[in-house]
Amino acid sequence: MTSDHALVLGATGQLGRAVVSALHADGWRVTAASRGGGRDPHWPEEVGELVLDRDAPGALAAAVGSGRELLFDCTAQTPAHARQVAGLTGRLGSAVVVSSAAVYADGAGRSLGGETGFPTLPVPVTERQRTVPPGDGSYEARKALLERELLALGERLPVTLLRAAALHGPYCRTPRELYFVQRWLDGRRARVLAFGGRSRFHTAHVANVAELVRLAARTPGSRVLNAADPEALTVREIAEAIDAVLSWECETVPLDGPPPPGEPTVGRTPWSLPEPLVLDMTAAERELGYRPVSGYAASLPATVEWLADHVRGRDWRAVLPEMAAAYDPMGDLFDYAAEDRWSRSTGRAPG
């Protein structure tokens, strides 16, 4: 096993980039692996790069070779991926694998991706909260199964699982901030916010998650930890923070409750939840000595600048196809005609 050598999977994605930088700064020798290869321009020359398709038979095992001290994996999605990591027992010192806050369920078994209604969870949610049954069906069930199989390795291969909240930062493939940045680009001077703009969908900046990875790598263990920003802002607070970065004045039109009947897109933002999802970070502070690197508002300028440059003058669906795939089935994120119809029918036309 090669001591102090880390292999980072998904290295050119938004989270992988931040993790490569954090581990290198902490003294690790880092190999940045991704399906398409390439490097971030901010990485130093010492960072190695590797083209790796983890789904190709034997590819991950070959990349690990005789051994690495650390594997960071933000691409694991399936039981097969869990078995891949488990198969490296004896050749890894430890692993840090990204899971999701979507695994949480309430006392009635309802979850974020469930079909029986939105869960009512404690505020905040600790890692002891009930989770969905492990399985190979839904996204959250697959993540729960991934967790179960990796935690079962115990001391044979210490794995830290990070239940990430709503990730944000530059290079995101599904940037929720687009909802407000695109409206700025389109000159929309008003926005309708469902649930009065009070929805809270806890965010997680990539630098904060990278700090958790860095600390977990220093202190390997078999555990599950939440991964979120130091604050869980409301949708209205997020909108106003983005306005401040853009030096933009935009009127907020609060809509009590969900989008109106017949107009399912009006007021629905990527953070619009009927009940709050707020994660408790106490365990990470206690077990790792974790302290956040950045708050949401402080991190926004870099994200907004990258996003505006990325979509300006272009069809956002073409440049962010994964965003389109995630949200188009629920209706157009920028259905201005529906917003205007609702405004005229209710007399609540934006000023």
Side-chain angles (χ1 to χ4, degrees):
M1 184 179 300
T2 305
S3 64
D4 77 2
H5 197 162
L7 177 64
V8 174
L9 301 186
T12 56
Q14 65 164 153
L15 180 53
R17 290 171 191 252
V19 169
V20 168
S21 296
L23 290 176
H24 178 268
D26 205 37
W28 288 84
R29 290 188 293 152
V30 181
T31 297
S34 62
R35 187 186 298 267
R39 335 174 35 89
D40 186 286
H42 299 100
W43 292 343
E45 291 182 2
E46 308 91 82
V47 172
E49 61 182 276
L50 177 67
V51 176
L52 173 64
D53 178 358
R54 71 171 307 156
D55 293 319
L60 180 56
V64 171
S66 60
R68 304 290 176 103
E69 188 63 26
L70 174 68
L71 172 70
F72 170 70
D73 187 356
C74 62
T75 66
Q77 300 286 338
T78 66
H81 292 158
R83 291 191 292 271
Q84 277 184 338
V85 176
L88 300 171
T89 300
R91 290 195 282 162
L92 293 175
S94 69
V96 180
V97 179
V98 176
S99 183
S100 171
V103 300
Y104 287 122
D106 66 10
R110 297 172 299 191
S111 65
L112 270 67
E115 299 178 354
T116 57
F118 197 83
T120 300
L121 297 165
V123 178
V125 179
T126 72
E127 293 85 349
R128 296 186 298 276
Q129 178 65 28
R130 174 181 179 175
T131 62
V132 299
D136 57 6
S138 66
Y139 167 79
E140 58 269 24
R142 292 195 302 272
K143 283 290 192 180
L145 181 55
L146 181 86
E147 288 188 0
R148 187 181 70 180
E149 296 199 5
L150 293 178
L151 290 174
L153 299 173
E155 295 182 359
R156 291 178 292 147
L157 175 55
V159 179
T160 297
L161 288 145
L162 299 177
R163 288 177 179 161
L167 284 171
H168 63 103
Y171 306 103
C172 182
R173 294 186 176 93
T174 55
R176 291 172 174 85
E177 288 75 15
L178 178 70
Y179 187 84
F180 297 120
V181 172
Q182 186 67 55
R183 279 169 163 73
W184 168 69
L185 289 171
D186 293 339
R188 295 286 291 187
R189 286 283 183 177
R191 62 201 163 216
V192 183
L193 299 182
F195 306 107
R198 296 182 295 273
S199 296
R200 297 170 75 198
F201 189 168
H202 210 157
T203 56
H205 188 257
V206 290
N208 289 328
V209 182
E211 175 66 0
L212 285 164
V213 175
R214 183 185 73 84
L215 293 170
R218 280 186 170 188
T219 312
S222 182
R223 60 198 164 208
V224 176
L225 296 173
N226 285 334
D229 288 336
E231 68 283 282
L233 300 181
T234 65
V235 175
R236 184 165 190 159
E237 290 169 334
I238 289 172
E240 291 170 352
I242 294 173
D243 288 349
V245 172
L246 295 170
S247 299
W248 174 251
E249 293 184 6
C250 187
E251 180 185 357
T252 294
V253 182
L255 170 63
D256 288 335
E263 299 287 8
T265 64
V266 173
R268 179 183 60 82
T269 79
W271 300 271
S272 293
L273 305 181
E275 300 283 347
L277 175 63
V278 179
L279 303 187
D280 190 317
M281 292 301 296
T282 304
E285 295 167 2
R286 181 182 63 249
E287 295 187 26
L288 300 180
Y290 168 73
R291 296 294 182 271
V293 173
S294 178
Y296 183 84
S299 73
L300 268 179
T303 301
V304 170
E305 180 182 5
W306 167 80
L307 182 54
D309 289 345
H310 198 53
V311 301
R312 182 183 282 109
R314 306 169 71 186
D315 180 351
W316 72 269
R317 290 183 174 86
V319 296
L320 295 168
E322 292 182 37
M323 182 82 175
Y327 290 98
D328 272 355
M330 296 181 283
D332 188 352
L333 279 173
F334 307 104
D335 191 347
Y336 301 145
E339 293 175 6
D340 293 341
R341 282 195 305 272
W342 176 81
S343 295
R344 289 193 298 269
S345 68
T346 61
R348 299 183 65 185

